[in-house]
Amino acid sequence: MPEAQPHDGARSGGATTNLGELDAIRRTTRALRQLYHREKQWMGARTAEQASRLTQQGQLSLSEQLHYGEIAFVLLRLKPCVIIDYAGDREQLDDYIAKVIRPSLRDLNAVGDRNAAAQTADGSASCHEQSGTESNAALYPRPFSLACSRIDGRLESPEVSSWTGAFVLYDTKWPHSAAWVKSNLLNNEKISISEDELARGLDYPGFIPKTTDDMHAIVPVSYLGRMNESGEWMCDRWECLTSFIVLQNQLPQMALHRIRYQAIKMFGIEMEVNMDTSLIDQFPDPLP
């Protein structure tokens, strides 16, 4: 993987920013760094038994349980929401929400409130707004208010037998985010959700395989990231920002998805893509 150079959070792509916008981006970057610090400290305090449960007995890495990248994607209005769920270990999940997510949302929402005040004072000159399902990260900074709610109702999907007890993080000031979450995850009258609908709510560019042919075309994808502080990497290795599965014929739309998600660089988070094509044609055909 090519070595990237650390840089401070700033808008990329040559777009013009004024001092108010740069200040909002820097404040957001600082709050995301604090979230990252809290996550790493919390993960580092796990016992061997707790770490084993979080990683599903070593099948995952602890870095795959970090959420700072996914939360940054919500701030950029790329992902409508993030589902936070340490399946099978809800005691640790509740502790993580209380010690990491809740204080971090206070920090981040203080930035969102400041962005709202700037918008009120200066209009679109300092903060940007959008409507509907449009996802344009170039419009950051904007007002936001992140909420983290527990899924209390009985809810299942084809791949997960119960989402009850998991948490969903979303932006109450983004109409698409709030509407999707309340309709699909916080609606106690809804007891099941399809994987395709979940993929839309989590902004995955592909869908899970449904046929034998699909099983022969699976490509696991991870967006890997590293955050820097004062020109130094905060971690000596790439860590998972988000991951999903696409099919081979969905790779072109994944490429467009990746380009949009590179906007996370404005928060000083470098991003690389890792694709595993080794599973293509590796699944045996069913017996006749």
Side-chain angles (χ1 to χ4, degrees), residues 196-212:
D196 287 354
E197 186 60 45
L198 275 173
R200 281 187 284 271
L202 298 172
D203 193 49
Y204 292 158
F207 300 100
I208 66 169
K210 299 180 178 66
T211 67
T212 302

Side-chain angles (χ1 to χ4, degrees), residues 151-285:
I151 300 175
D152 289 321
R154 176 189 168 196
L155 184 67
E156 63 181 22
S157 64
E159 296 292 316
V160 177
S161 60
S162 176
W163 288 107
T164 305
F167 287 81
V168 57
L169 186 146
Y170 60 103
D171 183 359
T172 64
K173 291 192 175 180
W174 180 11
H176 175 55
S177 171
W180 189 91
V181 167
K182 290 177 181 178
S183 174
N184 290 284
L185 300 181
L186 301 181
N187 178 1
N188 288 346
E189 296 181 358
K190 186 167 186 170
I191 62 173
S192 66
I193 183 170
S194 71
E195 294 297 331
D196 287 354
E197 186 60 45
L198 275 173
R200 281 187 284 271
L202 298 172
D203 193 49
Y204 292 158
F207 300 100
I208 66 169
K210 299 180 178 66
T211 67
T212 302
D213 288 342
D214 289 348
M215 293 296 293
H216 286 273
I218 291 176
V219 181
V221 178
S222 297
Y223 290 172
L224 306 177
R226 286 198 293 182
M227 177 175 276
N228 80 85
E229 186 171 24
S230 301
E232 299 290 334
W233 293 121
M234 296 173 67
C235 181
D236 60 2
R237 62 178 61 89
W238 295 90
E239 298 173 316
C240 185
L241 297 174
T242 190
S243 60
F244 48 84
I245 288 175
V246 297
L247 303 182
Q248 191 174 17
N249 62 5
Q250 296 167 338
L251 289 175
Q253 64 200 58
M254 190 281 294
L256 296 175
H257 184 270
R258 173 186 59 81
I259 291 170
R260 291 193 299 118
Y261 273 54
Q262 290 284 356
I264 199 172
K265 289 182 177 181
M266 78 167 64
F267 300 138
I269 303 171
E270 196 69 26
M271 191 184 97
E272 292 287 348
V273 179
N274 182 58
M275 293 189 298
D276 180 4
T277 59
S278 65
L279 296 181
I280 296 177
D281 291 327
Q282 294 301 306
F283 287 88
D285 290 320

Side-chain angles (χ1 to χ4, degrees), residues 20-21 23-25 27-28 77 108-129 139-146 171-173:
E21 291 174 344
D23 180 65
I25 292 169
R27 289 176 184 274
T28 309
R77 294 198 175 179
L108 285 164
N109 285 337
V111 178
D113 291 344
R114 190 181 182 95
N115 291 351
Q119 185 183 61
T120 299
D122 302 324
S124 60
S126 293
C127 282
H128 305 286
E129 194 51 88
L139 295 181
Y140 194 86
R142 63 168 67 79
F144 61 84
S145 181
L146 301 180
D171 183 359
T172 64
K173 291 192 175 180

